[in-house]
Amino acid sequence: MDPFLQALPLVFNLEVLGTMAIAAIFGLVVGSVPGLTATMATALLVPLTFFMDPVPAIASMVTATAMAIFAGDIPGALLRVPGTPASAAYASEAFAMTRKGLAERALGTSLVGSAIGGMFGTVVLVLSAPQLAEVALQFTQFEYFWLACLGLTCAVFVSTASPLKGAISLIIGLFIATVGIDITAGYPRYTLGIPDLLGGVAFIPAMIGMFAIAEILRNMVAAPSEAPPKLSRLMQLFSGLGGVFRRYWRGVVRGSVLGTAVGILPGAGGDIAAWVAYALSKKLSKEPEKFGTGHVEGIVDAGSANNAALSGAWVPALVFGIPGDSITAIVIGVLYVKGMNPGPTVFIHSPELIYGVFITFFLANVVLIPFGFAAIGLARHILRIPRGIIWPIVLLFSTVGAYAIDNSLFGVVIMLVMGILAFVMEENGFPVAPAILGLVLGPMLEGNFMTAMIKADGELLAFFERPIAAVLGVITLSVWFMPLVMKVWRSRSADAR
């Protein structure tokens, strides 16, 4: 019998569908609380999966993570406090739309874009898993170094301030990323004698602080005359989305393709995919000056990319047992427990279970629409709460999220310090986005550079010896020097006249 037909009854039964419904609600709740990430939602489900069959166990994780990644957009749009790192790239853009009275448009675009991106990633997962995984396996430290450099270049594009201030913000983020044990010498750097800093500055508490705490401080010092934004036209959530996606259909395709490609690369994830997609959207847009003022185009690209990356990360996880991100790292452990040892043989010995997993991916992205609609319907009441009440609640949830990462009060300290830093930066015109991007990609940049230099015995030309590394290197250097070359060319053209 065809494995697909064998998989249908494994998925379409009350146990699996009921499990997916409960997991969807759980994922929406976790994703909407700042600090409680999609990875944490997956980790919290692990003990429960021990009592489930393989298909409902994996289905619950797939559904919860898809919901959590979208749910992070809700507080990002309504309060400028992203629920998950994958939502951080465009939280300010979505919040700017909310302030303009376009909250429904922002959240509706994010919801539909997430579903489309997730579907696209799933199709790629089903059709091209072995081939794409083989490409990802060819990436070594040289390729990942250039990939990190290219990602950091995005800081120039996502910054709405001057390039100089954007570069300074990026350097601040990269410096903070160096705190902790030196990965090559094993020597503590900039830890100030504090043992909790030996492991570095935890990213999630830092992100919560730079968005939530900074926003709380900003509202404390802001004039109270500004009326809070409203989200009352819930039934108009999908109104006008047809025009949005017709106009920016290239962004949907670009974000979905980019998100899937980034997700396939081991160690990357939805957060990096969203940053790169948003930056690329601004770079290629016909209206780049509108970014940062409440422009839906960036949300189309980045919203499609983060959910597409979720599906893409399963390609190396299923085919070669190599986790594409932290979520699939957890899932691989569950697959082993359930006897579905990831690797090429799983397609031979348990094809019906693999097809069952594929079907749950499609279902999770389909039910994302109604469940996400319901979540937005409940969340709209947040804007009716007086500001004096809602910000202490946000502070409480943010504190819980920062503490829950390592069950340590030091996470709360990091959150507060980074929040004050972000507030001071923004008050002086320095954008926060490049600093956060430096925090995300800093360890990846340094780790791969040092390892590559050791392998190459200090020979810099080794970074261009491998074909893929050479292509990425040329692209990165072209992006760096192209503005200077264009400026010189325009200057000479003007002189010639």
Side-chain angles (χ1 to χ4, degrees), residues 459-480:
E459 181 58 55
L460 289 175
L461 289 178
F463 285 88
F464 295 92
E465 289 178 354
R466 295 170 57 84
I468 299 178
V471 171
L472 289 174
V474 170
I475 292 174
T476 303
L477 294 176
S478 298
V479 173
W480 288 355

Side-chain angles (χ1 to χ4, degrees), residues 93 150 153-159 254 258 275-291 295 297-298 301 475-476 478-484 486 490:
E93 195 77 65
L150 195 58
T153 307
C154 296
V156 178
F157 303 136
V158 301
S159 173
R254 184 168 57 236
L258 179 64
W275 282 108
V276 176
Y278 181 80
L280 189 62
S281 176
K282 182 177 180 180
K283 180 65 176 177
L284 300 178
S285 174
K286 297 178 179 178
E287 304 169 310
E289 70 281 355
K290 292 185 178 181
F291 279 68
H295 189 45
E297 186 175 359
D301 284 54
I475 292 174
T476 303
S478 298
V479 173
W480 288 355
F481 293 108
M482 187 59 69
L484 179 61
M486 293 298 295
R490 290 193 189 100

Side-chain angles (χ1 to χ4, degrees), residues 428-469:
N428 291 278
F430 291 88
V432 171
I436 294 177
L437 198 59
L439 264 173
V440 173
L441 292 179
M444 178 180 176
L445 177 75
E446 182 187 13
N448 285 293
F449 176 76
M450 296 304 295
T451 306
M453 287 296 286
I454 292 172
K455 289 173 63 175
D457 198 24
E459 181 58 55
L460 289 175
L461 289 178
F463 285 88
F464 295 92
E465 289 178 354
R466 295 170 57 84
I468 299 178

Side-chain angles (χ1 to χ4, degrees), residues 62 122 125 310-311 314 356-366:
V62 170
T122 302
L125 171 65
L310 173 64
S311 302
W314 280 70
V357 172
F358 291 161
I359 294 172
T360 60
F361 265 97
F362 283 109
L363 280 180
N365 286 288
V366 169

